């Protein structure tokens, strides 16, 4: 696998540089300024000019970008401009584990439900499970995430009292309580993923069942469970792996609605508050980190195709 990794490395570097420059310019072109965010609405032009000199904002944009990128490559994204202040790196280090845990739990729940359901529905297309799957998946994909979160919170916290309403416990502090607090937000994120994953995998399984090597395995008299999970499932997972990588990348910065409803201190809430409060260094650092993670995840997804389906190793 070293060859494909090295072949993709220049492409990844170029993409990361373009993303970093786009992130930097996006904040630069937005209304307002870091100096105004620091000093407040009553800032005088002289005070704003002084802050700009101290932060290097009076220099050319290219010089500012190179300075910022040089520090960012060493893990220094600057300091947060609003309370609770601190470095951008420390703020992200606090919020990122929350979002990573939510994303990991949501993906795990989605896989545990979607894979066996899709295998069974694909093996018996048009059956009761398949028809039920089509009906429920359409409904799950049609419901907005904020509506789904509110409904689940109302039903499972206020009515059944199965999960806590709000709050967060770090996994390193108490793993069991942390999973309990993260369960309902993770289920909220997982439900649309289950519908999407199941539909995609089911379609691939129906197609793979028509392949010659599967027909040969069935003619050998192998148990149907062996045929499905040993010969059919693996080559059918290429599309599932693709959408899983895209979904994981989007979850790193796209959980803002769920985190807001359940009051979770993750990356979504962190970036939302940073935008509202004009905390430009935090916006830049958070968006750059999520963008890099998205690029790296998709690179690993591309490389994983050769491991999943041996037929693609020489493609």
């Amino acid at each position: 696998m070293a060859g494909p990794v090295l072949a993709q490395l220049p492409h990844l570097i170029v993409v990361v540089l373009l993303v970093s420059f786009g992130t930097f310019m996006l904040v630069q072109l937005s209304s307002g300024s870091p100096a105004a965010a620091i000093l407040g609405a009553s800032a005088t032009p002289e005070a704003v000019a002084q802050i700009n000199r101290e932060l290097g904002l009076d220099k050319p944009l290219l010089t500012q970008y190179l300075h910022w990128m040089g520090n960012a490559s060493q893990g220094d994204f600057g300091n947060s401009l609003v309370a609770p202040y601190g470095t951008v790196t420390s703020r992200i280090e606090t919020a990122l584990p929350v979002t990573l845990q939510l994303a990991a739990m949501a993906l795990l729940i989605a896989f545990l439900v979607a894979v066996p359901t899709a295998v069974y529905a694909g093996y018996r297309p048009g059956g009761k499970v398949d028809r039920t799957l089509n009906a429920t998946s359409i409904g799950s994909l049609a419901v907005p995430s904020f509506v789904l979160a509110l409904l689940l919170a109302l039903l499972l916290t206020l009515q059944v009292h199965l999960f806590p309403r709000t709050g967060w416990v770090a996994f390193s502090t108490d793993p069991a309580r942390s999973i309990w607090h993260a369960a309902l937000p993770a289920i909220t994120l997982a439900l649309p993923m289950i519908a999407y994953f199941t539909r995609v995998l089911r379609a691939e399984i129906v197609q793979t069942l028509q392949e010659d090597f599967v027909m040969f395995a069935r003619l050998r008299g192998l148990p149907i469970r062996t045929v499905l999970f040993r010969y059919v499932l693996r080559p059918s997972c290429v599309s599932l792996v693709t959408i899983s990588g895209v979904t994981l990348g989007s979850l790193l910065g796209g959980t803002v609605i769920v985190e807001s409803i359940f009051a979770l201190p993750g990356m979504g809430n962190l970036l939302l508050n940073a935008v509202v409060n004009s905390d430009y260094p935090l916006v830049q650092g958070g968006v750059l980190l999520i963008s890099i993670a998205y690029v790296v995840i998709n690179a690993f997804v591309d490389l994983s195709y050769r491991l999943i389906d041996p037929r693609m190793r020489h493609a």
Side-chain angles (χ1 to χ4, degrees), residues 116-187:
T117 304
V119 170
Y120 189 84
Y123 174 60
R124 296 184 181 276
K128 291 183 179 180
V129 173
D130 192 28
R131 294 197 302 270
T132 303
L133 169 66
N134 288 332
T136 55
S137 62
I138 292 173
S140 298
L141 293 173
V143 178
S145 58
F146 72 92
V147 174
L148 187 60
L150 291 174
L151 290 176
L152 291 177
L154 177 64
L155 176 64
L156 299 180
T157 62
L158 299 180
Q159 299 294 329
V160 184
H161 304 290
L162 185 60
F163 298 104
R165 296 184 183 182
T166 57
W168 180 260
V169 178
F171 189 85
S172 57
T173 302
D174 190 336
R177 287 189 62 202
S178 178
I179 293 174
W180 183 45
H181 278 263
L184 188 56
I187 292 172

Side-chain angles (χ1 to χ4, degrees), residues 181-286:
H181 278 263
L184 188 56
I187 292 172
T188 304
L189 293 171
L191 286 177
M193 293 161 52
I194 290 172
Y196 190 29
F197 290 0
T198 307
R199 289 171 66 91
V200 171
L201 183 57
R202 179 259 182 204
E204 292 290 334
I205 287 174
V206 170
Q207 183 176 352
T208 306
L209 282 169
Q210 309 304 317
E211 296 286 345
D212 292 339
F213 68 90
V214 178
M215 297 291 187
F216 179 71
R218 299 183 69 173
L219 290 174
R220 289 171 57 194
L222 295 176
I224 190 60
R225 181 177 299 179
T226 302
V227 174
L228 289 174
F229 287 95
R230 183 174 178 181
Y231 292 94
V232 176
L233 181 59
R234 183 174 174 179
S236 301
C237 283
V238 174
S239 297
L240 179 61
V241 170
T242 301
I243 62 175
S244 299
V246 174
T247 301
L248 178 58
S250 63
L251 283 176
L252 294 181
T255 58
V256 58
I257 295 176
V258 173
E259 290 180 1
S260 298
I261 291 176
F262 292 101
L264 303 179
M267 287 296 296
N269 248 338
L270 182 70
L271 289 178
L272 176 62
N273 292 328
V275 171
V276 171
N277 296 313
S278 301
D279 194 345
Y280 300 106
L282 186 54
V283 173
Q284 287 177 321

